[in-house]
Amino acid sequence: MTIDARELLPLAEQAVTIARQIFTTAQPGVVTSKGDRDMVTEADYAIEQALREFLARETPEVGFLGEEDGLTGNREGLTWVLDPIDGTANFMHGIPLCGISLGLVEGHRSVLGVIDLPFLDMTYAAAEGAGASCNGEAIHSSSTDALDAAIVSIGDYAVGADAEEKNRLRIPLNYQLATRVQRVRMYGSAAVDLAWVAAGKTDACIMLSNNPWDTAAGVAIAREAGAAVVDVDGSPHTMASSVTIAAAPKLVADIMGLIEQARQS
């Protein structure tokens, strides 16, 4: 299938507007446990169902992968990828760092993204070849070239049955960052992490994971804004990557070096 992602950007923005209306009017409702300290709300399900139905009607030839209810169609061609509320824990606690994250993936490559942060009234959007914007204004990533001048955000600590093993790298990475960068931040939302790298609010983000619903939209936006978006070995990021690093291009090598030092420790 040959579709220019730029042609689908207005439709993606329309879908996210539908999601925002639910997000801003619904209460979390019944909260259901998905596992150790991992929750889903009624609002998550309502947004995902609404967008699944809308996009199936408007683009029946495109698959749909939602965090809560999985895959409709196949992932061989184009696939919409949705996190209905990225930062659910923040949402449940009234912390405004949460939002809707809708990406479009071709094979394993992100080609379009819309992230809406309703409580902050910020909507980020990008399509491959069209640049990136926030509320309609062009955005660009940071040009910072020194770690000691960089604000770096990191993904949440892992939860679940294998959390202890996964956090063996996260904890020493915090130490490496704390001793080298200007400031370390943990926002609790991959959408915020990636959108703010795209906007130059932060200089890098490191997520030692790569769930497609967390990263599909933000990767496209950060890349179109000029950030380097890579896997842990420096190869271009895809949905099959193990790690998600987005950074000012001149910081990438240093960031990868800090991860390696944390791994060795």
Side-chain angles (χ1 to χ4, degrees), residues 28-116:
V30 175
V31 177
T32 306
S33 173
K34 296 197 293 184
D36 174 37
R37 293 167 289 167
D38 189 9
M39 314 300 288
V40 59
T41 70
E42 283 188 56
D44 287 272
Y45 285 122
I47 290 170
E48 184 164 321
Q49 180 178 353
L51 265 61
R52 188 183 294 272
E53 292 174 356
F54 172 77
L55 291 169
R57 184 169 62 250
E58 298 295 327
T59 56
E61 70 281 13
V62 180
F64 184 98
L65 174 65
E67 178 180 8
E68 309 308 339
D69 287 322
L71 179 66
T72 302
N74 66 72
R75 290 196 61 191
E76 297 303 315
L78 287 171
T79 307
W80 295 109
V81 182
L82 173 71
D83 191 336
I85 301 179
D86 185 73
T88 299
N90 287 351
F91 175 68
M92 289 166 52
H93 286 267
I95 298 170
L97 299 180
C98 52
I100 304 122
S101 179
L102 177 65
L104 183 67
V105 173
E106 184 171 16
H108 287 288
R109 179 178 172 81
S110 297
V111 295
L112 176 154
V114 180
I115 290 172
D116 188 40

Side-chain angles (χ1 to χ4, degrees), residues 146-162:
L147 283 177
D148 61 5
I151 292 181
V152 179
S153 68
I154 57 174
D156 276 337
Y157 289 114
V159 297
D162 55 354

